[in-house]
Amino acid sequence: QVQLVESGGGLVKPGGSLRLSCAASGFTFSDYHMSWIRQAPGKGLECVSYITSSSTYTNYADSVKGRFTISRDNAKNSLYLQLNSLRAEDTAVYYCARAPYGGSPTRPEYFQRWGQGTLVTVSS
Amino acid sequence: YVLTQPPSVSVSPGQTARITCSGDALPKQYAYWYQQKPGQAPVLVIYKDSERPSGIPERFSGSSSGTTVTLTISGVQAEDEADYYCQSADSSGTYEVFGGGTKLTVL
């Protein structure tokens, strides 16, 4: 069955860095666009970044542009998010999510399957 | 780009709950709905305005009219108490945007 397992979260000081990972299984990873979506404590959902199946297209929320970098390794069935210059407002649960198969070639459209998330806390 | 949802909706068991989501680009872009229970990841309950994924109960339905889309839950059950988020694309069709979420309370 489809599984998405995030890791790499933790406590980091403002200005610090983290690398999140998402291990995918149960489907042909290289066929699907992938995204990172975050949820600050008690708040709503925000699509932080997405990457198309072959890494041709990436996009970022304005709130993280220039600080976060999304990447993937289709040979390892893994998705990554490099978080740099972290701020207190980046504190959130970060979810890895899979798009549906066969949709738009340039964006995910929607999020068909989600991981359980990993918590990033930015605090001194 | 903003998708606007009411912060909360309350219904009694067995009644019908309607949660709206408004946005200027909704006449041109599909809408999607997610259910999120406390401590859990969101789950897709409606896609492309009105399609229901396999495994989602028939009491969940979606509709669209102009700049507003609606998630309807007929015969609400206690287990439907959750936060519900709409999602669509921005007006340029290049980025995915979520509404602020609606907390459904089953009285």
Side-chain angles (χ1 to χ4, degrees):
Chain A
Q1 72 281 20
V2 173
Q3 277 203 308
L4 299 167
V5 180
E6 302 92 337
S7 61
L11 175 63
V12 61
K13 289 181 167 54
S17 297
L18 274 180
R19 189 193 196 206
L20 306 184
S21 299
C22 172
S25 60
F27 64 100
T28 304
F29 182 71
S30 58
D31 283 347
Y32 292 83
H33 306 334
M34 298 294 296
S35 304
W36 287 99
I37 297 156
R38 71 181 179 183
Q39 186 170 36
K43 301 296 185 183
L45 302 168
E46 178 186 25
C47 182
V48 172
S49 181
Y50 67 78
I51 185 167
T52 54
S53 57
S54 300
S55 304
T56 305
Y57 295 95
T58 61
N59 208 343
Y60 299 88
D62 288 343
S63 57
V64 307
K65 208 167 285 187
R67 300 188 298 123
F68 290 8
T69 303
I70 193 170
S71 61
R72 64 190 294 162
D73 185 336
N74 286 344
K76 294 184 178 179
N77 293 336
S78 293
L79 175 72
Y80 307 102
L81 186 68
Q82 179 67 40
L83 291 67
N84 295 333
S85 303
L86 282 162
R87 307 166 180 168
E89 54 264 36
D90 295 319
T91 294
V93 173
Y94 285 73
Y95 295 100
C96 161
R98 192 196 79 175
Y101 178 78
S104 165
T106 61
R107 46 177 273 262
E109 293 185 290
Y110 64 101
F111 311 104
Q112 192 181 51
R113 296 294 184 104
W114 299 60
Q116 285 305 305
T118 187
L119 176 62
V120 172
T121 303
V122 184
S123 174
S124 55
Chain B
Y1 180 59
V2 176
L3 294 172
T4 301
Q5 298 181 235
S8 63
V9 168
S10 299
V11 295
S12 299
Q15 290 191 327
T16 297
R18 293 181 180 85
I19 300 172
T20 59
C21 172
S22 299
D24 289 342
L26 287 176
K28 297 176 291 189
Q29 302 288 346
Y30 282 122
Y32 308 89
W33 290 93
Y34 304 87
Q35 176 194 65
Q36 186 180 33
K37 296 182 179 179
Q40 298 183 20
V43 172
L44 179 72
V45 294
I46 293 290
Y47 67 100
K48 292 187 178 180
D49 290 348
S50 59
E51 300 295 320
R52 195 172 52 249
S54 61
I56 300 301
E58 291 184 9
R59 63 180 181 274
F60 288 86
S61 63
S63 60
S64 175
S65 179
T67 59
T68 299
V69 294
T70 303
L71 172 69
T72 300
I73 310 172
S74 304
V76 166
Q77 301 181 6
E79 68 198 51
D80 299 329
E81 186 164 284
D83 293 327
Y84 291 85
Y85 293 90
C86 64
Q87 176 250 309
S88 186
D90 65 4
S91 50
S92 65
T94 59
Y95 208 76
E96 322 308 337
V97 177
F98 288 94
T102 298
K103 182 175 181 57
L104 175 66
T105 300
V106 181
L107 301 170

